[in-house]
Amino acid sequence: MAHTIPRVARVFVTRRLVGDALQRLHAAGHEVDVWPGTEPPPQAQLVERTAQADALLCTLSDRIDDAFLAACAHLKAIANYAVGLDNIDLAAARRHGIPVGNTPDVLTDATADIAFALLLATARRLPQSAQAVADGRWGTWQPSGFLGADLVGATLGIVGAGRIGEAVAKRAAGFDMRVLTTTSRGGTPLDTLLAQSDFVSLHVPLTPVTHHLIDAAALQRMKPTAILINTARGRVIDQQALIDALHAGTIAGAGLDVTDPEPLPPDHPLLQAPNVLVLPHVGSATTRTRATMSELAVDNVLAGLAGRPLPHPAPTPPSTPTAAAS
Ligand code: DGY
Protein backbone atom coordinates (compact mmCIF):
# COMPACT_ATOMS: atom_id res chain seq x y z
CA MET A 1 0.00 0.00 0.00
CA ALA A 2 1.41 3.42 -0.94
CA HIS A 3 2.26 5.69 1.99
CA THR A 4 0.74 9.15 2.05
CA ILE A 5 3.39 11.86 2.27
CA PRO A 6 2.77 14.38 5.04
CA ARG A 7 3.33 18.03 4.15
CA VAL A 8 4.62 18.74 7.64
CA ALA A 9 5.94 15.67 9.30
CA ARG A 10 7.22 14.77 12.73
CA VAL A 11 10.61 13.14 13.28
CA PHE A 12 11.62 11.38 16.48
CA VAL A 13 15.38 11.59 17.11
CA THR A 14 16.51 9.28 19.89
CA ARG A 15 19.58 11.24 21.03
CA ARG A 16 21.03 14.73 20.76
CA LEU A 17 23.26 14.72 17.68
CA VAL A 18 26.61 16.34 16.91
CA GLY A 19 26.45 19.30 14.50
CA ASP A 20 23.45 21.23 13.26
CA ALA A 21 22.02 18.85 10.65
CA LEU A 22 18.63 18.81 12.41
CA GLN A 23 18.22 22.45 11.35
CA ARG A 24 17.53 21.14 7.84
CA LEU A 25 14.49 19.27 9.19
CA HIS A 26 13.22 22.46 10.85
CA ALA A 27 13.95 24.43 7.66
CA ALA A 28 11.84 21.93 5.69
CA GLY A 29 9.00 22.69 8.09
CA HIS A 30 9.10 19.39 9.96
CA GLU A 31 8.60 19.01 13.69
CA VAL A 32 11.54 17.46 15.50
CA ASP A 33 11.19 15.60 18.78
CA VAL A 34 14.64 14.95 20.29
CA TRP A 35 14.92 12.53 23.23
CA PRO A 36 16.58 14.64 25.91
CA GLY A 37 18.40 11.89 27.82
CA THR A 38 21.96 10.70 27.40
CA GLU A 39 20.71 7.12 27.84
CA PRO A 40 18.61 5.53 25.08
CA PRO A 41 14.84 5.84 25.52
CA PRO A 42 13.36 2.81 27.28
CA GLN A 43 11.69 0.49 24.75
CA ALA A 44 8.14 1.54 25.77
CA GLN A 45 9.06 5.21 25.31
CA LEU A 46 10.76 4.44 22.01
CA VAL A 47 7.55 2.88 20.69
CA GLU A 48 5.32 5.58 22.19
CA ARG A 49 7.30 8.53 20.83
CA THR A 50 7.88 6.89 17.43
CA ALA A 51 4.18 6.03 17.13
CA GLN A 52 3.52 9.79 17.00
CA ALA A 53 6.21 10.39 14.36
CA ASP A 54 6.48 9.90 10.59
CA ALA A 55 10.21 9.13 10.59
CA LEU A 56 12.72 7.86 13.12
CA LEU A 57 16.36 8.84 13.48
CA CYS A 58 17.85 6.29 15.89
CA THR A 59 21.23 5.07 17.12
CA LEU A 60 22.85 1.67 17.40
CA SER A 61 21.65 1.35 21.01
CA ASP A 62 17.97 1.46 20.00
CA ARG A 63 16.39 -1.95 19.44
CA ILE A 64 14.27 -1.81 16.29
CA ASP A 65 12.81 -5.31 16.33
CA ASP A 66 9.79 -6.94 14.73
CA ALA A 67 7.46 -5.93 17.60
CA PHE A 68 8.61 -2.30 17.34
CA LEU A 69 8.20 -2.30 13.55
CA ALA A 70 4.73 -3.85 13.76
CA ALA A 71 3.70 -1.05 16.16
CA CYS A 72 5.28 1.65 13.95
CA ALA A 73 4.58 0.27 10.47
CA HIS A 74 3.43 3.73 9.35
CA LEU A 75 7.03 5.07 9.36
CA LYS A 76 8.30 6.57 6.14
CA ALA A 77 11.96 6.21 7.04
CA ILE A 78 14.25 4.81 9.69
CA ALA A 79 17.64 6.51 9.59
CA ASN A 80 20.21 4.69 11.70
CA TYR A 81 22.97 6.94 13.03
CA ALA A 82 25.59 4.22 12.36
CA VAL A 83 26.93 2.15 9.51
CA GLY A 84 26.17 -1.07 11.41
CA LEU A 85 22.54 -2.14 11.22
CA ASP A 86 22.47 -5.11 13.59
CA ASN A 87 20.13 -3.21 15.96
CA ILE A 88 17.44 -3.25 13.24
CA ASP A 89 15.46 -6.25 12.01
CA LEU A 90 15.94 -5.43 8.33
CA ALA A 91 13.81 -8.32 7.10
CA ALA A 92 10.88 -7.13 9.24
CA ALA A 93 11.37 -3.53 8.03
CA ARG A 94 11.22 -4.78 4.43
CA ARG A 95 8.05 -6.73 5.21
CA HIS A 96 6.46 -3.58 6.63
CA GLY A 97 7.66 -1.53 3.65
CA ILE A 98 9.72 0.84 5.80
CA PRO A 99 12.90 2.14 4.12
CA VAL A 100 16.00 1.90 6.33
CA GLY A 101 19.20 3.89 5.85
CA ASN A 102 22.60 4.12 7.51
CA THR A 103 25.75 6.29 7.45
CA PRO A 104 28.37 4.48 5.33
CA ASP A 105 31.79 5.76 4.19
CA VAL A 106 32.03 8.82 6.42
CA LEU A 107 33.28 6.90 9.47
CA THR A 108 35.70 4.62 7.61
CA ASP A 109 38.88 6.54 8.41
CA ALA A 110 37.97 7.37 12.00
CA THR A 111 37.21 3.70 12.71
CA ALA A 112 40.37 2.49 10.93
CA ASP A 113 42.36 4.96 13.05
CA ILE A 114 40.90 3.48 16.25
CA ALA A 115 41.67 -0.07 15.04
CA PHE A 116 45.24 0.99 14.44
CA ALA A 117 45.43 2.88 17.73
CA LEU A 118 44.34 -0.31 19.52
CA LEU A 119 46.89 -2.31 17.55
CA LEU A 120 49.76 0.03 18.46
CA ALA A 121 48.64 0.40 22.08
CA THR A 122 48.38 -3.35 22.67
CA ALA A 123 51.53 -4.19 20.68
CA ARG A 124 53.61 -1.69 22.68
CA ARG A 125 51.77 -2.20 25.99
CA LEU A 126 50.85 1.47 26.35
CA PRO A 127 48.14 0.96 29.02
CA GLN A 128 50.51 -1.06 31.25
CA SER A 129 53.35 1.44 30.77
CA ALA A 130 51.15 4.47 31.45
CA GLN A 131 49.65 2.76 34.50
CA ALA A 132 53.16 2.11 35.87
CA VAL A 133 53.95 5.83 35.55
CA ALA A 134 50.67 6.81 37.21
CA ASP A 135 51.28 4.31 40.06
CA GLY A 136 54.84 5.57 40.73
CA ARG A 137 56.34 2.30 39.40
CA TRP A 138 58.40 3.90 36.63
CA GLY A 139 61.78 2.97 38.18
CA THR A 140 65.09 3.05 36.35
CA TRP A 141 65.30 2.51 32.61
CA GLN A 142 65.55 -1.25 32.10
CA PRO A 143 66.75 -3.15 29.02
CA SER A 144 63.81 -5.49 29.50
CA GLY A 145 61.23 -2.97 30.73
CA PHE A 146 57.78 -3.05 29.07
CA LEU A 147 58.88 -5.00 26.02
CA GLY A 148 56.33 -5.10 23.25
CA ALA A 149 56.02 -6.42 19.71
CA ASP A 150 57.34 -4.91 16.46
CA LEU A 151 54.94 -3.96 13.68
CA VAL A 152 57.44 -3.86 10.81
CA GLY A 153 57.45 -7.26 9.14
CA ALA A 154 54.59 -8.58 11.31
CA THR A 155 51.52 -10.12 9.67
CA LEU A 156 48.14 -8.43 10.06
CA GLY A 157 45.09 -10.56 9.31
CA ILE A 158 42.05 -8.53 8.31
CA VAL A 159 38.76 -10.38 8.62
CA GLY A 160 36.15 -8.75 6.38
CA ALA A 161 38.01 -6.40 4.06
CA GLY A 162 35.25 -3.90 3.28
CA ARG A 163 35.85 -0.17 3.40
CA ILE A 164 37.10 -0.11 6.99
CA GLY A 165 39.21 -3.25 6.53
CA GLU A 166 40.79 -1.73 3.43
CA ALA A 167 41.52 1.50 5.30
CA VAL A 168 43.24 -0.54 8.04
CA ALA A 169 45.26 -2.37 5.36
CA LYS A 170 46.36 1.00 3.96
CA ARG A 171 47.63 2.04 7.37
CA ALA A 172 49.39 -1.31 7.81
CA ALA A 173 51.22 -0.80 4.50
CA GLY A 174 52.70 2.40 5.95
CA PHE A 175 54.11 0.32 8.81
CA ASP A 176 55.61 -2.26 6.40
CA MET A 177 53.33 -5.00 7.66
CA ARG A 178 52.36 -8.06 5.64
CA VAL A 179 48.58 -8.08 5.20
CA LEU A 180 46.32 -11.11 4.79
CA THR A 181 42.61 -10.64 4.19
CA THR A 182 39.59 -12.89 4.20
CA THR A 183 36.43 -11.59 2.55
CA SER A 184 33.13 -12.82 1.20
CA ARG A 185 34.82 -12.96 -2.21
CA GLY A 186 37.70 -15.15 -1.06
CA GLY A 187 41.18 -14.16 0.01
CA THR A 188 43.08 -16.15 2.60
CA PRO A 189 40.94 -18.82 4.28
CA LEU A 190 40.04 -17.75 7.82
CA ASP A 191 41.84 -20.70 9.48
CA THR A 192 45.08 -19.93 7.59
CA LEU A 193 44.78 -16.22 8.38
CA LEU A 194 44.30 -16.96 12.09
CA ALA A 195 47.28 -19.33 12.16
CA GLN A 196 49.67 -16.98 10.34
CA SER A 197 48.75 -13.56 11.77
CA ASP A 198 50.53 -11.67 14.54
CA PHE A 199 47.55 -9.33 14.72
CA VAL A 200 43.97 -10.14 13.72
CA SER A 201 41.57 -7.22 13.14
CA LEU A 202 37.82 -7.80 12.75
CA HIS A 203 35.75 -5.80 10.25
CA VAL A 204 32.64 -7.86 9.60
CA PRO A 205 29.04 -6.79 10.22
CA LEU A 206 27.24 -8.66 13.00
CA THR A 207 24.87 -11.14 11.35
CA PRO A 208 23.65 -14.60 12.36
CA VAL A 209 26.66 -16.05 10.49
CA THR A 210 29.31 -13.79 12.02
CA HIS A 211 27.91 -14.15 15.56
CA HIS A 212 30.78 -15.75 17.58
CA LEU A 213 32.87 -16.09 14.39
CA ILE A 214 35.87 -15.90 16.74
CA ASP A 215 35.07 -18.72 19.17
CA ALA A 216 37.27 -20.98 21.31
CA ALA A 217 38.33 -23.04 18.27
CA ALA A 218 39.27 -19.90 16.28
CA LEU A 219 41.27 -18.51 19.22
CA GLN A 220 43.03 -21.87 19.53
CA ARG A 221 44.22 -21.52 15.91
CA MET A 222 45.91 -18.16 16.64
CA LYS A 223 49.56 -17.79 17.65
CA PRO A 224 50.19 -17.54 21.43
CA THR A 225 51.92 -14.21 20.66
CA ALA A 226 48.99 -12.87 18.61
CA ILE A 227 46.79 -9.89 19.46
CA LEU A 228 43.08 -9.67 18.55
CA ILE A 229 41.58 -6.29 17.60
CA ASN A 230 37.82 -5.71 17.36
CA THR A 231 36.19 -2.48 16.19
CA ALA A 232 33.20 -4.24 14.57
CA ARG A 233 30.66 -5.60 17.07
CA GLY A 234 31.22 -7.32 20.43
CA ARG A 235 29.21 -10.40 19.57
CA VAL A 236 31.49 -11.30 16.64
CA ILE A 237 33.70 -12.72 19.43
CA ASP A 238 32.63 -15.36 21.93
CA GLN A 239 33.66 -13.14 24.83
CA GLN A 240 33.86 -15.90 27.46
CA ALA A 241 36.13 -17.88 25.11
CA LEU A 242 38.31 -14.76 24.73
CA ILE A 243 38.54 -14.27 28.51
CA ASP A 244 39.56 -17.93 28.90
CA ALA A 245 42.10 -17.63 26.05
CA LEU A 246 43.70 -14.52 27.59
CA HIS A 247 44.02 -16.19 31.01
CA ALA A 248 45.39 -19.40 29.46
CA GLY A 249 47.88 -17.55 27.26
CA THR A 250 46.30 -18.99 24.10
CA ILE A 251 46.73 -15.49 22.63
CA ALA A 252 48.80 -12.58 23.97
CA GLY A 253 46.27 -9.77 24.15
CA ALA A 254 43.19 -8.02 22.83
CA GLY A 255 42.27 -4.45 21.89
CA LEU A 256 38.50 -4.00 21.86
CA ASP A 257 36.40 -0.98 20.95
CA VAL A 258 33.24 -3.08 21.16
CA THR A 259 32.02 -5.57 23.75
CA ASP A 260 29.00 -7.61 24.72
CA PRO A 261 27.21 -6.00 26.48
CA GLU A 262 27.78 -2.28 26.05
CA PRO A 263 28.45 -0.62 28.33
CA LEU A 264 30.54 -3.27 30.04
CA PRO A 265 29.95 -3.29 33.83
CA PRO A 266 33.12 -2.21 35.69
CA ASP A 267 33.31 -5.58 37.49
CA HIS A 268 33.04 -7.58 34.26
CA PRO A 269 35.61 -10.45 34.08
CA LEU A 270 36.82 -9.21 30.68
CA LEU A 271 38.36 -6.21 32.43
CA GLN A 272 40.32 -8.54 34.76
CA ALA A 273 41.81 -10.53 31.87
CA PRO A 274 45.51 -9.96 31.16
CA ASN A 275 46.62 -7.65 28.34
CA VAL A 276 43.20 -6.42 27.37
CA LEU A 277 42.47 -2.83 26.40
CA VAL A 278 38.78 -1.91 26.20
CA LEU A 279 37.49 1.36 24.74
CA PRO A 280 33.87 2.61 25.01
CA HIS A 281 32.86 2.12 21.31
CA VAL A 282 34.59 5.26 20.04
CA GLY A 283 35.45 4.13 16.50
CA SER A 284 33.56 6.98 14.85
CA ALA A 285 33.98 9.44 17.71
CA THR A 286 35.59 12.46 16.08
CA THR A 287 33.68 15.73 15.94
CA ARG A 288 33.79 15.92 12.14
CA THR A 289 32.82 12.29 11.62
CA ARG A 290 29.88 12.41 14.02
CA ALA A 291 28.65 15.70 12.50
CA THR A 292 28.86 14.18 9.00
CA MET A 293 26.96 11.12 10.22
CA SER A 294 24.22 13.51 11.36
CA GLU A 295 24.07 15.00 7.84
CA LEU A 296 23.71 11.58 6.21
CA ALA A 297 21.01 10.51 8.65
CA VAL A 298 19.08 13.73 7.97
CA ASP A 299 19.49 13.19 4.20
CA ASN A 300 17.83 9.80 4.69
CA VAL A 301 14.98 11.24 6.76
CA LEU A 302 14.26 14.06 4.30
CA ALA A 303 14.21 11.65 1.36
CA GLY A 304 11.95 9.19 3.16
CA LEU A 305 9.50 11.93 4.13
CA ALA A 306 9.45 13.19 0.55
CA GLY A 307 8.71 9.68 -0.71
CA ARG A 308 12.07 9.46 -2.47
CA PRO A 309 14.51 6.52 -2.26
CA LEU A 310 16.93 6.95 0.65
CA PRO A 311 20.33 8.22 -0.57
CA HIS A 312 22.14 5.96 1.90
CA PRO A 313 20.01 2.81 2.01
CA ALA A 314 20.73 -0.29 4.08
CA PRO A 315 22.73 -2.74 2.01
CA THR A 316 21.24 -6.07 1.00
CA PRO A 317 22.08 -8.54 3.79
CA PRO A 318 25.37 -10.41 3.16
CA SER A 319 25.06 -14.09 2.38
CA THR A 320 28.49 -15.18 3.57
CA PRO A 321 30.29 -15.05 6.93
CA THR A 322 33.10 -12.66 6.06
CA ALA A 323 31.30 -9.96 4.11
CA ALA A 324 32.58 -6.44 4.57
CA ALA A 325 31.53 -4.38 7.57
CA SER A 326 30.88 -1.14 5.79
C1 DGY B 1 28.80 2.19 13.46
O1 DGY B 1 28.51 3.21 12.85
O2 DGY B 1 28.29 1.10 13.20
C2 DGY B 1 29.82 2.30 14.53
O3 DGY B 1 29.96 1.13 15.24
C3 DGY B 1 29.51 3.44 15.48
O4 DGY B 1 29.71 4.61 14.87
Side-chain angles (χ1 to χ4, degrees), residues 60 82-84 107 233 281 284 293:
L60 54 84
V83 68
L107 47 79
R233 286 293 183 267
H281 203 149
S284 64
M293 288 167 66

Side-chain angles (χ1 to χ4, degrees), residues 2 5 13 20 36 65 75 77 82 88 129 195 211 220 224 244 253 257 260 263 269 278 286 293 306 308 320 324:
I5 301 162
V13 183
D20 52 12
D65 57 15
L75 286 175
I88 301 181
S129 311
H211 182 264
Q220 204 63 50
D244 295 343
D257 185 40
D260 176 26
V278 179
T286 72
M293 288 167 66
R308 287 186 274 108
T320 51

